[in-house]
Amino acid sequence: MALEGDTAVVRVEVRYGGSVPQEYRDLWVIRFAPDGTCRAFEEWPFWPGKDYRATPG
């Protein structure tokens, strides 16, 4: 996690078990209001091992 001023950046790893295990990573960008509540939230997901490049349509 990184924090500067009212903005935090957090790297999250999530693993789900079950019959088809899944793993993904997120990058969260969180901006806080003066009272400490979240005023803006961005999520940038990434699935390791998957190719998510844009393809010509």
Side-chain angles (χ1 to χ4, degrees):
M1 181 174 92
L3 178 64
E4 184 172 325
D6 67 349
T7 303
V9 178
V10 182
R11 181 177 179 254
V12 181
E13 293 186 20
V14 179
R15 293 185 182 100
Y16 292 105
S19 59
V20 180
Q22 298 178 17
E23 175 184 324
Y24 70 93
R25 295 182 186 139
D26 273 346
L27 183 66
W28 295 347
V29 180
I30 307 164
R31 290 186 174 82
F32 296 96
D35 66 357
T37 60
C38 178
R39 68 175 173 86
F41 175 80
E42 295 177 48
E43 180 178 25
W44 296 84
F46 171 74
W47 288 268
K50 300 204 179 198
D51 188 4
Y52 286 97
R53 293 179 290 174
T55 57

